[in-house]
Each structure stands twice: as C-alpha cells, then as structure tokens.
Amino acid sequence: MFEATLEERVRLLSGRDIWSTWPIPRLGIPSLFLTDGPYGLRKAIASDSVNLGKAVPATCFPVSAALGATWNPELVARVAAAIGREAAANGVSVVLGPGTNIKRTPLCGRNFEYFSEDPLLSSRLAAAWISGIQSEGVGASLKHFAANNQETRRMSIDAIVDERALREIYLASFEEAVTAGRPWTVMGAYNRLNGTHCCEQRQLLTDVLRGEWGFDGVVLSDWGGAGDRAAATDAGCDLEMPGYDGLSDPLLLKAIRSGQLTQAKVETSAARIRTLAARTARAREEGRTYGIDDHHQLARRAAEESVVLLKNEGGLLPLQATGQIAVIGAFAKEPRFKGGGSSQVTPHRLDDAWTELERIAGTSCSLSYAAGYRLASEAPDAELLAEAREAARAADVVVAFVGLTDGCDSEGSDREHLRLPAAHEALIATVLEASPRVVVVLANGGPVEMPWAARVPAIVEGYLAGQAGGSAMARVLLGRADPGGRLAESFPIRWEENPVHELPLGPRFSEYRESVYVGYRYYDSAKTEVLFPFGHGLSYTTFAYDDLEVRTADDGQGASVAVQVTNTGSRPGWEVVQVYLHDRESSLFRPAQELRGFAKVWLQPGESRQVQIDLGRRAFAFWDIRAHAWAVEGGAFEIRIGASSRDIRATAAIEVQGDPGFVPVAESPAVAAAYRDLPLGRRFERRPFEALLGRPLEENAPDAKGLYTANTPLGDMDSWLARTLLRVAAVVARGVVGRDDPAAAALAQEAIQQMTPRMFRMATKGAVSDQLRDGLLLLFNGRSGPGLQKTIRGLFDLRRPRSDEAQADNRL
C-alpha cells in the first residue's frame, strides 16, 4: 500500500468536479479527466458543466448500433483506437464507453449506444472496442453494469430478472468484454437490480465482476449513481462521480468511525485509482496528435460496413448513374448522424449524401432534389409533399431519405412507438403514388415499423452513421462500396409482437417475465413472423455455403465448425457466416436457437474460403440455478450455419458429453407450461414468472404519500413542495441548456420529472446534503414537524466550512 493519509485516500474516491478526479501531487498521482464517447470523443468545453451541445471538435464515428451491424471486431477496434488517439490529444484519461447493454426492447431510447440484442455479439464487439482504445493508453469504461435496459425511470427502476436470464443474457453481454477486453474501468448503472442499486450491490461488483471474472480495475458510478457512498464503497464501487469539493468525504470517514466501512476497503479502492493513473500515463503525454483526415476516412469505412441492405427487389440497387434520379428528403442534405444526450459529438466536418451523389453521378445523370418534410416538425407539409410528388413523377428512380427525428433516439427517455414520424410516412406514401421505383434510406437508432415495406422494392438501413455517413451512403447506393452490414437486432412487424410490449416497465419494477426470450430468441422460438430477422442483410453479390464439417473437441464438450463459402456473383462483397446452436434434448426450457459464433469475410467474384469457427464448452452450457454455475447437459445438439437466424444454409448433428454427475433439471409444471414450446403470441404471465423467480412479486404501483422514499421520482409525488421544486428545476434547466438545443432541453425536462431525492446531491452540485435531502423527503411525505427540523439542520450545515467538517470527522 502506498503512503497516504486516510483523508487523502478518501479524497481519491470521489471526483473533484463533474469530469475529473482529485490529484495528490506529493504522491505523484495526477488528476484524471473522464469524458463521454462511445462513438466519438465528447469533451465538454467547460470542465464544470455537462454542456450537452458544446464540446471540443472530434471525429463522430457511426453510433454503436451501426458499429454492431458491422459484425467486425477488427474494425470496431480500429475505430476505438482512433477515439483513443483523439482522447489523448485532448488530455483525456478515460472515455466512458463502450455501452454493452442488451437491447431488450426496441423502444429503449438509448439503444443507439448499444451493440446488439445478442450477448455474444455485443460482448465480443465490446471487447474489441476496449482493446482498441486501451492500446492508445486511454482507459475504457464498460457500461452500464448491469440490466440498464430502459431509460424511463432509469434512476429509480428495479429490474426484476430471474437468475438464468441474468446470467445467460444480461451479464453475459458484459462477461467476455471483461474477461477478453480487460477494461481498466467499469461503470455501475443507475437502476436497481433485484432490489439493490447496482452501484451498491456487492454480489454484482465484488462477487461476479471481480471474483468470477477477474476484473482488476476501477468501478465508478454513473453520474450520481452512488446515492449511499459508504454502501457503494463497501460493495466495491471505487469512485463516486461526479464530486463537489469533497462534500461527501465526511460520509466515508463517519462510516469508518462507526464500523460500517473498514479502512481496508478504502485503501484497496484508493490503490485501484493509483493503478488507473499509472495505466493511463501515456494518455497524458505532451504532443499527442491524430490525423483528422485519416479518421474521417476510417469513419466512412465504418459507415459503409454498417449499411444494411434490407431489401433489393429487381436489383434496383446499386443505382445506375444514368437517367433522372430524384433525391427526396431533407436528411439527404442535412443528415441525422448521431443520437441525443451525453454522446453528442461535435464533428470536425459533416458529409451529406446529396453532395456526394452530385460529385460521383452528377456528370452522367440528372439529379433533382425535394425536401419533402421540415426537420423541426413531425407534421406533414402539403407544399413540400407536392414538390416531392412532382420530383418523383419526373424521375426514373426515387431515393427517399427518411427516419427518426431528434429526440426519438436519446438518453433519458424511451420511444413511445416504433412508427416513423407522420411527415416521413406521408412522404413515402406520396412518392409511391408517383413512382414504383423507390429506394427508402433510413436514418434511425433502432427498429421502425414499415407498413409500406411490401410496396417498396429497395430498403436501406443506414442507422445514425456519423460524420461521414452521408458520403458512405452515397457510395453504397451507387455501388462504389458493398453494403457490409447485417442486423444486430430483430425488426418486428409491429411493436405489439415484441414479447416486452405487455410487460410492466414500471412504475416501481421492470418485470423481465420473458426471461431468456429476448429478441430473436423469442421470435424464432415462438415462430413469429418478423419484418427483418436478426443477422439479416443483403450484398450486391451472392454466396454459396458448401462442405460443412463439424468435429467434436477432444473433451467431448466443444466443437470445431468449418464451412466453404463462395462468392457466386459478379461483384466483390461481404458475407457474415453465423453459427447457431439448437439443443434437441434439454431438460429445461431453452430458446430454439442461439448465436454461438460468427465470422465476416470479404470475397472477390468466384473466390472461395474455408471459414472455421470454434465452439467451446460454454457454447453448449446453460446456467444451472441449483449449482449457481454453468453446466453442460449431454445429448444431441444441432449446429446451424446461416446468413441470418432465418436463413439457415446448412445443419449438422453433434453429440456432446455432459458434465460428470449432472442431474437433469426438474422444472415446475407452471414454468414448463409457460416457457416451453412457445405458441404464437405468447404472453408471459405473473404467476409462472414468480415460480421462475422462486418468490412472489411485490405490488408494482406508484409509491403512496407517506411512503415516498429516496427512490420515488419527484414527478410521482403528491406534494406542493415537490411540485414547486420541479418548476424551479425546469426554469434552471432551461437557462443552463439554452434555447438553441431543443433535444437537450427535452432531455433535461424528462430528467427532472424522473429525478429522485437520491439524486439531489448531484443535481445541485453538492448544495443539497444528504441530511437536507432527508428533511425534504419528510416534508414531501407530509411530516412537517420532523421534516422542518431536519431541513433546518441541513441548511445550517451548508454554512459550515467543509474543511472544518472533514477535519472533525477525521478524528478516528
């Protein structure tokens, strides 16, 4: 242990301000700067402010949903390394990313920051991202650990997840990212998980993360996520962010004095901060630079590989650079290229598709343009639609740029439906009336409903493709690049067909009744028709799969899969070979098939390549809740090789040896009836889920007055004082955010409604102490007498010099 006073060690365990940690110069420990950046650096211009819309210029790469669609770990690592170079050039030691939460529901407003609905794909890409950025000496912060799968009530919601689903889906999405990527930090989530806040849960942070997975870095809280700092430190959360002039340091010192927290825990956490400083030393070296042009080209390459060609009837794409092409939709000239919230990168430059289409094809064909809709409105505009109709009638082919508007894909709020804005739906209907040759290009952070899909011959998913996304899309449309993306999430026909659509997502609990049936695991098991399946994506060429070979591993609990893939078309292109596993004889319910391996290959016309994918023991295992461990049950499995979960090209049977002494699982009748052989439209009821959990569910109703807690959102409280605070906070938020960023303003208003008393310390930059918070909470509950007393004491304490208070509490 390094030589430091107890007060110095405690000081290391909370931030100095919003973005940085405390230095201890006499011990050679520098201040570390942490900032946002899952798909590009977002360093606020002012270090004492969040400043969502004001950040230093940086390369905006495709969002994580788009990077997920690349299915290319090597490319993701290159992107992350570039982000690391930009971070180091700006004096940033830790970038808050990647986000690897599972896309449980397509309505999650932050899905654009996450890779996939599948834990294998998500964790493998996250591991690559971590390795890439840390190769530049900049620490990654894997987030949000764990089960942070909705933005609505994210500060207070309690995710109720059964043990198998937690291990096989939600923790599995982090596991390989930790064990293979070896991140230097992990960020604890805001939400509760099965009753306890993630930043205060010892089982999550110490037993699983450190004990089972061998994590040796720093656990830090999401901003304001460590409501009870002593409990968080005791559970294994090393760094509270943000921090305000050491305001909460006395809380730790009191906890040590009372025996609630040991000095050893503080010493261990402080040593981890020092190790993080050493690991990130290269990030703080003078003279670090990067090539702006080189990074822009990399952003374009990543965007091209993320484009998913969903449909291409009649070979309408790639476009022939002859005749008349009508480019319709304001996104063609003013692209939507990023999501909202804490990841709003300020790009060095911004490409648009119209400019690139003009540059490449403008000399050989005639291009026309019509806006079709207004960027700032979701309502149809009759005049703009009329212009679009005329442009479409005069053209040989129409390319319609549509998608979701700002605010639909944003931190802090979830989408209310999967439909496109009315103005964009109206535009598609209008151009289809005028021309049958329509290409729809989508810009969105997640799945959308497409009631018009059967009438449109070509559909291209562009996601939010970053600063070079416009030129990348133009190149793909004109055939200068192959659409290299494959869906990392399922696109349902309607939201109502998703298994989560009828399940409680609040107000107190988010009930994960669907268990392991997430995304394609549900759709494929229930044989539900989907709009576009997981793993789907077309190329401008075609591929054949031949000579499937499966060899059992020497220990009988793994396999080696090899298949010959041939480009049978006339153009070079990408193919993603996907390996799914089906358990034929399981004694407990399992999804019909699960992704267990993948490989992406680039093939020239006529070229063949043998693709080999190894499946280890874990590929065949499930989580045994009796032993609280992974278990392999021997028997027959089917290996399925495909181009998507619904496009299986070859299969092979294999016998796998079970673990010695394994006893088959005996499911209860209620669980077996609800979770086996899913019929079409299966609803997951409360009683079978309780049987699966092994305990009854609490009443999922808003907290009543008199029972409000530090986890009750202010917007739920029937209290004149709470309503007054909400109004004041709304005025303050408008002044801080400003009127030039409507999306940030909407995010701030949503966050205020969802704010809980637990968050007061962060929201007020430390002005509201925990004692003052508790006094206000008593007043919210109508307990005027004790509430006033505690509130007055809390207000009085604010006037005491903090340094004196810290010294008084340091007398141990």
Coordinates of all heavy atoms in Angstrom, one line a residue, residues 529-570:
E529 N -43.5 -14.3 -37.2 CA -43.0 -13.6 -38.4 C -42.4 -12.3 -38.0 O -43.0 -11.5 -37.2 CB -44.2 -13.4 -39.4 CG -43.7 -12.8 -40.8 CD -44.8 -12.7 -41.8 OE1 -46.0 -13.0 -41.4 OE2 -44.6 -12.1 -42.8
V530 N -41.3 -11.9 -38.6 CA -40.7 -10.6 -38.4 C -40.5 -9.9 -39.7 O -40.6 -10.5 -40.8 CB -39.3 -10.8 -37.7 CG1 -39.5 -11.4 -36.3 CG2 -38.4 -11.6 -38.6
L531 N -40.3 -8.6 -39.6 CA -40.1 -7.8 -40.8 C -38.8 -8.1 -41.4 O -38.7 -8.5 -42.6 CB -40.2 -6.3 -40.4 CG -40.1 -5.3 -41.5 CD1 -41.3 -5.5 -42.5 CD2 -40.1 -3.9 -40.9
F532 N -37.7 -8.1 -40.5 CA -36.4 -8.5 -41.0 C -35.7 -9.2 -39.8 O -35.7 -8.6 -38.7 CB -35.5 -7.3 -41.4 CG -36.1 -6.6 -42.6 CD1 -36.7 -5.3 -42.5 CD2 -36.0 -7.2 -43.9 CE1 -37.2 -4.7 -43.6 CE2 -36.6 -6.5 -45.0 CZ -37.2 -5.3 -44.8
P533 N -35.1 -10.3 -40.0 CA -34.6 -11.1 -38.8 C -33.2 -10.7 -38.4 O -32.5 -10.0 -39.1 CB -34.6 -12.6 -39.4 CG -34.4 -12.4 -40.8 CD -35.1 -11.1 -41.2
F534 N -32.9 -11.1 -37.2 CA -31.6 -10.9 -36.7 C -30.5 -11.5 -37.6 O -30.7 -12.6 -38.1 CB -31.5 -11.6 -35.3 CG -30.1 -11.6 -34.7 CD1 -29.7 -10.4 -34.0 CD2 -29.3 -12.7 -34.7 CE1 -28.4 -10.4 -33.4 CE2 -28.0 -12.6 -34.1 CZ -27.6 -11.5 -33.5
G535 N -29.4 -10.8 -37.9 CA -28.4 -11.3 -38.7 C -28.6 -11.0 -40.2 O -27.7 -11.3 -41.0
H536 N -29.8 -10.5 -40.6 CA -30.1 -10.3 -42.0 C -29.4 -9.1 -42.6 O -29.1 -8.1 -42.0 CB -31.6 -10.1 -42.1 CG -32.1 -9.6 -43.5 ND1 -32.1 -10.5 -44.6 CD2 -32.5 -8.4 -44.0 CE1 -32.5 -9.9 -45.7 NE2 -32.8 -8.6 -45.3
G537 N -29.1 -9.2 -43.9 CA -28.5 -8.2 -44.7 C -28.1 -8.7 -46.0 O -27.5 -9.8 -46.1
L538 N -28.4 -8.0 -47.1 CA -28.0 -8.4 -48.4 C -26.7 -7.8 -48.9 O -26.4 -6.7 -48.4 CB -29.2 -8.1 -49.4 CG -30.6 -8.6 -49.0 CD1 -31.6 -8.0 -50.0 CD2 -30.6 -10.1 -49.0
S539 N -26.1 -8.4 -49.8 CA -24.9 -7.8 -50.5 C -25.3 -7.6 -52.0 O -26.4 -7.9 -52.4 CB -23.8 -8.9 -50.4 OG -22.7 -8.5 -51.3
Y540 N -24.4 -6.9 -52.7 CA -24.6 -6.8 -54.1 C -24.1 -8.0 -54.9 O -24.1 -8.0 -56.1 CB -23.9 -5.5 -54.6 CG -24.5 -4.2 -54.2 CD1 -23.8 -3.1 -54.0 CD2 -25.9 -4.1 -54.0 CE1 -24.4 -1.9 -53.6 CE2 -26.5 -2.9 -53.6 CZ -25.7 -1.8 -53.4 OH -26.3 -0.6 -53.1
T541 N -23.7 -9.0 -54.2 CA -23.3 -10.2 -54.8 C -24.1 -11.4 -54.0 O -24.9 -11.1 -53.1 CB -21.8 -10.4 -54.8 OG1 -21.5 -11.6 -55.6 CG2 -21.3 -10.6 -53.4
T542 N -23.8 -12.6 -54.4 CA -24.4 -13.8 -53.7 C -23.4 -14.7 -53.3 O -22.2 -14.7 -53.8 CB -25.4 -14.5 -54.7 OG1 -24.6 -14.8 -55.9 CG2 -26.5 -13.6 -55.1
F543 N -23.8 -15.6 -52.3 CA -22.8 -16.5 -51.7 C -23.4 -17.9 -51.6 O -24.6 -18.1 -51.3 CB -22.4 -16.0 -50.3 CG -21.8 -14.7 -50.3 CD1 -22.5 -13.5 -50.1 CD2 -20.4 -14.5 -50.5 CE1 -21.9 -12.3 -50.1 CE2 -19.8 -13.3 -50.5 CZ -20.6 -12.1 -50.4
A544 N -22.6 -18.9 -51.7 CA -23.0 -20.3 -51.5 C -22.2 -20.9 -50.4 O -21.0 -20.6 -50.2 CB -22.7 -21.1 -52.8
Y545 N -22.8 -21.8 -49.6 CA -22.2 -22.4 -48.5 C -22.1 -23.9 -48.8 O -23.1 -24.6 -49.2 CB -23.1 -22.3 -47.2 CG -23.1 -20.9 -46.6 CD1 -23.6 -19.8 -47.4 CD2 -22.7 -20.7 -45.3 CE1 -23.7 -18.5 -46.8 CE2 -22.7 -19.4 -44.8 CZ -23.2 -18.3 -45.5 OH -23.3 -17.1 -45.0
D546 N -20.9 -24.5 -48.7 CA -20.7 -25.9 -49.0 C -19.8 -26.6 -48.0 O -19.1 -25.9 -47.3 CB -20.1 -26.1 -50.4 CG -21.0 -25.5 -51.5 OD1 -22.1 -26.0 -51.7 OD2 -20.6 -24.4 -52.1
D547 N -19.8 -27.9 -48.0 CA -18.8 -28.7 -47.3 C -18.8 -28.4 -45.8 O -17.7 -28.2 -45.3 CB -17.4 -28.6 -48.0 CG -17.4 -28.9 -49.4 OD1 -18.2 -29.8 -49.8 OD2 -16.6 -28.3 -50.2
L548 N -19.9 -28.4 -45.2 CA -19.9 -28.2 -43.7 C -19.3 -29.4 -43.0 O -19.6 -30.6 -43.3 CB -21.4 -28.1 -43.2 CG -21.6 -28.0 -41.7 CD1 -20.8 -26.8 -41.2 CD2 -23.0 -27.9 -41.4
E549 N -18.3 -29.1 -42.2 CA -17.7 -30.1 -41.4 C -17.7 -29.7 -39.9 O -17.4 -28.6 -39.5 CB -16.2 -30.2 -41.8 CG -15.9 -30.7 -43.2 CD -14.5 -30.8 -43.5 OE1 -13.7 -30.7 -42.6 OE2 -14.1 -31.1 -44.7
V550 N -18.1 -30.7 -39.1 CA -18.2 -30.4 -37.6 C -17.4 -31.5 -36.9 O -17.6 -32.7 -37.1 CB -19.6 -30.5 -37.1 CG1 -19.7 -30.3 -35.6 CG2 -20.4 -29.3 -37.8
R551 N -16.4 -31.1 -36.1 CA -15.6 -32.1 -35.4 C -15.7 -31.8 -33.9 O -15.6 -30.7 -33.4 CB -14.1 -31.9 -35.8 CG -13.8 -32.3 -37.2 CD -12.3 -32.1 -37.5 NE -12.1 -32.4 -38.9 CZ -10.9 -32.3 -39.5 NH1 -9.8 -31.9 -38.7 NH2 -10.7 -32.6 -40.8
T552 N -16.0 -32.9 -33.2 CA -16.1 -32.8 -31.7 C -14.8 -32.6 -31.1 O -13.8 -33.2 -31.5 CB -16.8 -34.0 -31.2 OG1 -18.1 -34.2 -31.8 CG2 -17.1 -33.9 -29.7
A553 N -14.7 -31.7 -30.1 CA -13.5 -31.5 -29.3 C -13.0 -32.7 -28.6 O -13.9 -33.6 -28.3 CB -13.7 -30.3 -28.4
D554 N -11.8 -32.8 -28.3 CA -11.2 -33.9 -27.6 C -11.9 -34.2 -26.2 O -12.1 -35.4 -25.8 CB -9.7 -33.8 -27.3 CG -8.9 -33.8 -28.6 OD1 -9.5 -34.3 -29.6 OD2 -7.8 -33.3 -28.6
D555 N -12.4 -33.2 -25.6 CA -13.0 -33.4 -24.3 C -14.5 -33.7 -24.4 O -15.2 -33.9 -23.4 CB -12.8 -32.2 -23.3 CG -13.4 -30.9 -23.9 OD1 -14.1 -30.9 -25.0 OD2 -13.3 -29.8 -23.3
G556 N -15.0 -33.7 -25.6 CA -16.4 -34.0 -25.9 C -17.4 -32.9 -25.6 O -18.6 -33.1 -25.7
Q557 N -16.9 -31.7 -25.2 CA -17.7 -30.6 -24.8 C -17.5 -29.4 -25.6 O -17.8 -28.3 -25.2 CB -17.5 -30.3 -23.3 CG -18.0 -31.4 -22.3 CD -18.1 -30.9 -20.9 OE1 -17.2 -30.2 -20.4 NE2 -19.2 -31.3 -20.2
G558 N -17.0 -29.6 -26.8 CA -16.9 -28.5 -27.7 C -16.9 -29.0 -29.1 O -17.0 -30.2 -29.4
A559 N -16.7 -28.1 -30.1 CA -16.7 -28.5 -31.5 C -16.0 -27.5 -32.3 O -15.9 -26.3 -32.0 CB -18.2 -28.6 -32.0
S560 N -15.5 -27.9 -33.5 CA -14.9 -27.1 -34.5 C -15.8 -27.2 -35.7 O -16.1 -28.2 -36.2 CB -13.5 -27.5 -34.8 OG -12.9 -26.7 -35.9
V561 N -16.2 -26.0 -36.2 CA -17.1 -25.9 -37.3 C -16.4 -25.3 -38.5 O -15.8 -24.2 -38.4 CB -18.4 -25.1 -37.0 CG1 -19.3 -25.0 -38.2 CG2 -19.1 -25.7 -35.8
A562 N -16.4 -25.9 -39.7 CA -15.8 -25.4 -40.9 C -16.8 -25.4 -42.0 O -17.5 -26.5 -42.2 CB -14.5 -26.1 -41.2
V563 N -16.8 -24.4 -42.8 CA -17.7 -24.4 -44.0 C -17.0 -23.6 -45.1 O -16.3 -22.6 -44.9 CB -19.1 -23.7 -43.6 CG1 -18.9 -22.3 -43.3 CG2 -20.1 -23.9 -44.8
Q564 N -17.3 -24.0 -46.3 CA -16.7 -23.4 -47.5 C -17.7 -22.3 -48.0 O -18.9 -22.6 -48.3 CB -16.4 -24.4 -48.6 CG -15.5 -23.9 -49.7 CD -14.1 -24.0 -49.3 OE1 -13.7 -24.5 -48.3 NE2 -13.2 -23.5 -50.2
V565 N -17.2 -21.1 -48.1 CA -18.1 -20.0 -48.6 C -17.6 -19.5 -49.9 O -16.4 -19.2 -50.0 CB -18.2 -18.9 -47.6 CG1 -19.1 -17.7 -48.0 CG2 -18.6 -19.4 -46.2
T566 N -18.4 -19.4 -50.9 CA -18.0 -19.0 -52.3 C -18.8 -17.8 -52.7 O -20.1 -17.8 -52.6 CB -18.2 -20.1 -53.3 OG1 -17.4 -21.2 -52.8 CG2 -17.7 -19.7 -54.7
N567 N -18.2 -16.8 -53.3 CA -18.8 -15.6 -53.9 C -19.3 -16.1 -55.3 O -18.5 -16.3 -56.2 CB -17.9 -14.5 -54.0 CG -18.6 -13.2 -54.6 OD1 -19.6 -13.3 -55.2 ND2 -17.9 -12.1 -54.3
T568 N -20.6 -16.3 -55.4 CA -21.1 -16.8 -56.7 C -21.6 -15.7 -57.6 O -22.2 -16.0 -58.7 CB -22.3 -17.8 -56.4 OG1 -23.3 -17.1 -55.6 CG2 -21.8 -19.0 -55.7
G569 N -21.4 -14.4 -57.2 CA -21.8 -13.3 -58.1 C -20.7 -12.7 -58.9 O -19.6 -13.2 -59.0
S570 N -21.0 -11.5 -59.4 CA -20.1 -10.8 -60.3 C -19.4 -9.6 -59.6 O -18.6 -8.9 -60.3 CB -20.8 -10.3 -61.5 OG -21.9 -9.4 -61.2

